[in-house]
C-alpha cells in the first residue's frame, strides 16, 4: 500500500488539495493512535523531522527527565482524510519516533516491527506479507451519545439487509477505505448480531500494521456518523462469538513465496514448516501481545470458533493455525488467536520473531490435528501433545516473562513497560468486585 513520495510531492499535494491541518500519527505501546496536530504552515518543518512532542505524556514511553522526542514522518503514508473538519481538509502522516540524538526510540512499536523485519532480511528473506481480518461490533448509542451493548440488527453470518441495519454503515466504511487506497477483499456480517468483518488484501508487514491502525480510525469515525459505536473489544457480549483478527502470513524471497514448495506433499516448504513450528513453540508467550487485555481471554474459550489449543491443521478450523487451501503465491499460514485489541506492530513483530526462531533453530513440526479438538477430552489432548493457550492475561504474562525470544522481539524497553502496565491492569481486575460476584454471593452468604 505504501507509495513513494518526495517532500516536494507532499507539499504540492497539500497545496493542490487545500489541506488546512496535518496530523502526525504514531501508536503508543498499548496500540492507541496518538496525534500531534499542526497547521499546514508547519508542513515543511514536519517534513524536516523537526516537530517534537513530550514522550513522558505517552503510556509506556519514557519518564519526565528524558521526555523530548522527534517525529520522523514516513512520506509513503501521506493520506488526506475523506471527511472534513469544520476548519477544512485534514491530512495525516504516520511517523517513526526518534530521540534528540538522532537515534530511533527503542520503545516505538513501529520501530520495533522495523527491527524485527531487519532481522528477517538478515536471514535472507525480502518481505513478510500479512493479510489481516479484523472483526468489530456496531452498537447503538444512548441518548447522551454513550455506547450501549444494544445491537442494531439481528443479522447472522453473511446475512443481507433488511435484517442488517449495520449493512449501510459497513458499506460506507468499505467505500471510504477504498477511496483511501485500501483493497478490500471481503466484507460481511459475522456470526454474532451486530458483528462485522472486513478483510483487506495482504501487503508487506509494515503497511499491514499501518493499515490496521488506519482501519480502526475509519471504522470508528464512520460508525459515529451513523449514530453507532464501533468497538474492537474482543468479547463484548457473553454467550456470543467474540471478535478476532486472524492474521494470514507468509515470507517472500524476491518474488518467490518461501512457504511454497510444489514438490512437498502438502505444498508447504521446509521454511514454512520451521516457521510454523516456531509459532507453535512460542504461542503461549506471544499471546500476551496478540491478546493483550483482560477481556481477550473471555474470547479464547471453547465453543465460539476462537482457538484455545496450540495445534495446526490444513482442514478444520478449531486449531490455532490453519493452512488455507491456496498454493503457489497464496501459500500462507492463518494464525487465528490474535484479536483486534492488539497493537498490530507488536503482534506482527512477535509472530514474525517466533516463526524466524523456528527457521533459525530448524524446529521440527508436530503432525497436524485434523479432528475437532473441542470434542477431545483432556487425556486425548495430552496424548496428542496439544497444549492450551493461556487462560488469563496473568498466565500469558508469566509465559511472556519466561520467553527470551519474544522478549528480544520487543526489546528490553518495551518489554519492561508493557509487562509493568499489564500487571497493574491485572491487579486492578483481580481486586475489583464484579457484578457477577454480587449476584452470586450477596444474598447467599
Amino acid at each position: 500500500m505504501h507509495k513513494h513520495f518526495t517532500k516536494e510531492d507532499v507539499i504540492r499535494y497539500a497545496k493542490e488539495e487545500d489541506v488546512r491541518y496535518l496530523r502526525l500519527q504514531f501508536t503508543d505501546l498499548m496500540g492507541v493512535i496518538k496525534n500531534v496536530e499542526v497547521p499546514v504552515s508547519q508542513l515543511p518543518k514536519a517534513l524536516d523531522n523537526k516537530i517534537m512532542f513530550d514522550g513522558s505524556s505517552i503510556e509506556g514511553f519514557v519518564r519526565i527527565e528524558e521526555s523530548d522526542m522527534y517525529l520522523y514522518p514516513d512520506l509513503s503514508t501521506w493520506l488526506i482524510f475523506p471527511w472534513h473538519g469544520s476548519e477544512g481538509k485534514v491530512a495525516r502522516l504516520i511517523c517513526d519516533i526518534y530521540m534528540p540524538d538522532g537515534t530511533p526510540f527503542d520503545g516505538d512499536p513501529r520501530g520495533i516491527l522495523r527491527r524485527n523485519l531487519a532481522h528477517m532480511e538478515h536471514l535472507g528473506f525480502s518481505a513478510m506479507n500479512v493479510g489481516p481480518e479484523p472483526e468489530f461490533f456496531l452498537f447503538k448509542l444512548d441518548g447522551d451519545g454513550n455506547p450501549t451493548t444494544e445491537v442494531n440488527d439481528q443479522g447472522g453470518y453473511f446475512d443481507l439487509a433488511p435484517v442488517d441495519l449495520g449493512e449501510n454503515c459497513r458499506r460506507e466504511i468499505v467505500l471510504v477505505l477504498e477511496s483511501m487506497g485500501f483493497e478490500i477483499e471481503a466484507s460481511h456480517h459475522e456470526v454474532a448480531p451486530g458483528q462485522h468483518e472486513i478483510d483487506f488484501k495482504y501487503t508487506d508487514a509494515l503497511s499491514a500494521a499501518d493499515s490496521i491502525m488506519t482501519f480502526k480510525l475509519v471504522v470508528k469515525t464512520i460508525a459515529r456518523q451513523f449514530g453507532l459505536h464501533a468497538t474492537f473489544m474482543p468479547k463484548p457480549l457473553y454467550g456470543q462469538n467474540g471478535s478476532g483478527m486472524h492474521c494470514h502470513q507468509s515470507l517472500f524471497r524476491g518474488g518467490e513465496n518461501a512457504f511454497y514448495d510444489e514438490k512437498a506433499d502438502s505444498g508447504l516448504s521446509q521454511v514454512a514448516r520451521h516457521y510454523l513450528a516456531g509459532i507453535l513453540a512460542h504461542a503461549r508467550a506471544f499471546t500476551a501481545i496478540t491478546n493483550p487485555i483482560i477481556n481477550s481471554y473471555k474470547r479464547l474459550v471453547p465453543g465460539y470458533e476462537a482457538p484455545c489449543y496450540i495445534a495446526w491443521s490444513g482442514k478444520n478450523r478449531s486449531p490455532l493455525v490453519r493452512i488455507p487451501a491456496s498454493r503457489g503465491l497464496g501459500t500462507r499460514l492463518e494464525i487465528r488467536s490474535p484479536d483486534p485489541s492488539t497493537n498490530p506492530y507488536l503482534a506482527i513483530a512477535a509472530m514474525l520473531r517466533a516463526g524466524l526462531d523456528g527457521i533459525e533453530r530448524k524446529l521440527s513440526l508436530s503432525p497436524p490435528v485434523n479432528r475437532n479438538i473441542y470434542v477431545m477430552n483432556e487425556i486425548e489432548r495430552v496424548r496428542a501433545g496439544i497444549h492450551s493457550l493461556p487462560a488469563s492475561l496473568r498466565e500469558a504474562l508469566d509465559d511472556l516473562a519466561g520467553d527470551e525470544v519474544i522478549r528480544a522481539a520487543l526489546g528490553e524497553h518495551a518489554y519492561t513497560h508493557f509487562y509493568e502496565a499489564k500487571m497493574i491492569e491485572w491487579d486492578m481486575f483481580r481486586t475489583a468486585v464484579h457484578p457477577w460476584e454480587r449476584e452470586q454471593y450477596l444474598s447467599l452468604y
Side-chain angles (χ1 to χ4, degrees), residues 293-310:
I293 62 176
I294 299 286
N295 181 255
S296 297
Y297 297 85
K298 306 284 167 86
R299 170 180 164 257
L300 297 177
V301 295
Y304 295 99
E305 293 195 6
C308 37
Y309 303 112
I310 301 171

Side-chain angles (χ1 to χ4, degrees), residues 57 137 217 238 306 320 324 346 415 436 438:
S57 62
F137 278 85
L217 188 70
Y238 172 72
L320 174 68
L346 299 183
Y415 165 72
W436 183 91
R438 285 195 285 268

Side-chain angles (χ1 to χ4, degrees), residues 28 47 62 76-77 86 95-96 110 116 146 161 182 213 231 291 296 368 371 383 418 445:
D28 75 5
L47 295 176
V62 285
S76 67
T77 63
S86 49
C95 301
D96 294 300
R110 199 167 188 262
N116 285 281
N146 297 314
F182 277 73
M213 294 310 294
T231 182
N291 306 81
S296 297
R371 49 183 293 213
R383 273 198 201 125
F418 182 85
Y445 291 101

Side-chain angles (χ1 to χ4, degrees), residues 42 47 62 67 71 100 110 120 134 170 185 223 247-248 292 336:
Q42 297 279 305
L47 295 176
V62 285
S67 59
L71 294 165
R110 199 167 188 262
M120 170 199 77
R170 190 177 68 234
E185 298 219 312
C247 284
H248 295 256
R336 300 176 57 257

Side-chain angles (χ1 to χ4, degrees), residues 1 4 6 10-11 27 113 256 323 336 344 375 392 408 420:
M1 203 152 117
H4 294 288
T6 62
V10 169
I11 289 169
T27 300
L113 177 53
E256 301 280 301
I323 314 292
R336 300 176 57 257
V375 300
S392 69
E420 284 172 3

